[in-house]
């Protein structure tokens, strides 16, 4: 059974640009969550999607958005990139919503904004 | 709001020895879960052990065990017979019952010395 797949693994963007990151959950998993990991702020929750609906959102500006497709794959988008958006973005998938205690994480996308 | 505190930024242990990583948390919830995740250089977060707050018995997974003190809001991880592959960042995390969001500590970098 394939694990959580995040693409791309590495990304370099320029300030002001936008970026889209992708996460393919484990087959059969319907919940996808996103986290931002930085040395200064640690791991912070961005949002969670289940059945194509955003169920919960963390304390991030509106430049951060996401969506989920009918096959449970999820994308997150960051517009008007800032230097502070440089981070490791982790995706986690779970079988169901409401109790993500069986979450499995991907290897992340390392975003560098220059 | 939930907070998780890991007061040991870095630790080291000799191979085959035992080490304990500390974690405290603050919550007003009565039902919740606590986790230890390991993040090796590959960046993928791997679940080490999970504890359900309503269970008094401490969780154990092979060489990994926890000391869960609910009243003191303490959740330490003991690694026995440390192996070189245990070298990684270790994150303590909290999730409330029925929740979909992890609250992570700042992590402890563990180095196993041969």
């Amino acid at each position: 059974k394939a694990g959580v797949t995040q693409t791309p693994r590495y990304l370099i963007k320029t300030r002001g640009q936008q970026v889209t990151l992708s996460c393919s959950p484990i087959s059969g998993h319907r919940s996808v969550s996103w986290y931002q990991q930085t040395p200064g702020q640690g791991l912070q929750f961005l949002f969670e999607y289940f059945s194509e609906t955003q169920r919960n959102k963390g304390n991030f500006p509106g430049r951060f958005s996401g969506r989920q497709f009918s096959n449970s794959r999820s994308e997150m988008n960051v517009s008007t990139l800032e230097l502070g958006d440089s981070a490791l973005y982790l995706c986690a998938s779970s079988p169901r919503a409401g109790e993500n205690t069986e979450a499995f994480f991907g290897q992340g996308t390392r975003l560098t904004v220059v | 709001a939930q907070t998780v505190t890991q007061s040991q930024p870095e630790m080291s242990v000799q191979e085959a020895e035992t080490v304990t990583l500390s974690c405290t948390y603050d919550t007003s919830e009565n039902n919740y879960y606590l986790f230890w995740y390991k993040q090796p250089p590959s960046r993928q977060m791997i679940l080490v052990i999970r504890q359900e707050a309503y269970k008094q018995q401490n969780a154990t997974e092979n060489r990994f065990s926890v000391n869960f003190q609910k009243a003191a809001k303490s959740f330490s991880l003991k690694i026995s017979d440390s192996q070189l592959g245990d070298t990684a960042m270790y994150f303590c995390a909290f999730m409330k019952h029925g929740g979909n969001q992890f609250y992570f500590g700042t992590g402890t970098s563990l180095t196993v010395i041969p």
Side-chain angles (χ1 to χ4, degrees):
Chain A
K1 200 172 189 180
V4 180
T5 304
Q6 291 189 245
T7 56
R9 292 289 307 278
Y10 300 90
L11 206 49
I12 300 175
K13 289 287 188 178
T14 304
R15 269 184 304 175
Q17 287 186 315
Q18 75 166 20
V19 66
T20 299
L21 312 181
S22 177
C23 173
S24 293
I26 292 171
S27 178
H29 284 196
R30 296 172 61 195
S31 172
V32 174
S33 300
W34 289 88
Y35 290 82
Q36 181 196 64
Q37 185 176 16
T38 60
Q41 299 297 318
L43 283 144
Q44 293 186 290
F45 172 77
L46 281 156
F47 28 64
E48 189 226 2
Y49 286 88
F50 179 78
S51 292
E52 303 178 61
T53 300
Q54 186 182 90
R55 295 185 64 244
N56 195 11
K57 181 174 168 65
N59 189 25
F60 279 83
R63 298 185 298 106
F64 291 82
S65 63
R67 60 177 175 169
Q68 187 180 34
F69 302 95
S70 58
N71 62 357
S72 295
R73 189 178 71 85
S74 177
E75 290 181 347
M76 67 162 283
N77 183 278
V78 187
S79 62
T80 319
L81 283 165
E82 301 177 358
L83 295 179
D85 297 333
S86 295
L88 178 66
Y89 290 88
L90 291 167
C91 162
S93 82
S94 301
R96 55 196 171 274
E99 194 105 348
N100 291 2
T101 60
E102 295 179 41
F104 294 85
F105 285 82
Q107 289 186 285
T109 294
R110 172 77 67 188
L111 171 65
T112 302
V113 182
V114 297
Chain B
Q2 281 65 233
T3 58
V4 179
T5 302
Q6 293 178 251
S7 58
Q8 306 153 313
E10 296 181 357
M11 294 191 73
S12 62
V13 62
Q14 292 289 141
E15 194 175 6
E17 296 295 307
T18 296
V19 64
T20 299
L21 308 182
S22 301
C23 172
T24 58
Y25 59 95
D26 190 25
T27 184
S28 58
E29 302 285 335
N30 192 46
N31 292 328
Y32 50 87
Y33 299 87
L34 294 163
F35 307 81
W36 279 99
Y37 274 91
K38 167 185 176 181
Q39 187 178 42
S42 67
R43 307 179 328 203
Q44 186 170 16
M45 298 282 278
I46 302 166
L47 177 65
V48 175
I49 201 164
R50 178 177 69 192
Q51 174 79 42
E52 297 165 54
Y54 65 86
K55 289 186 177 180
Q56 293 188 343
Q57 186 173 6
N58 289 325
T60 300
E61 287 288 340
N62 301 313
R63 298 182 295 107
F64 300 88
S65 61
V66 298
N67 183 3
F68 173 48
Q69 301 290 327
K70 191 174 184 179
K73 294 181 181 175
S74 170
F75 183 62
S76 61
L77 174 70
K78 185 172 82 172
I79 306 174
S80 304
D81 185 26
S82 296
Q83 301 176 1
L84 297 179
D86 295 334
T87 293
M89 281 289 289
Y90 286 81
F91 291 93
C92 179
F94 171 101
M95 180 181 289
K96 65 181 182 181
H97 181 78
N100 56 7
Q101 174 181 348
F102 287 104
Y103 296 86
F104 287 95
T106 50
T108 296
S109 177
L110 176 66
T111 301
V112 179
I113 303 166

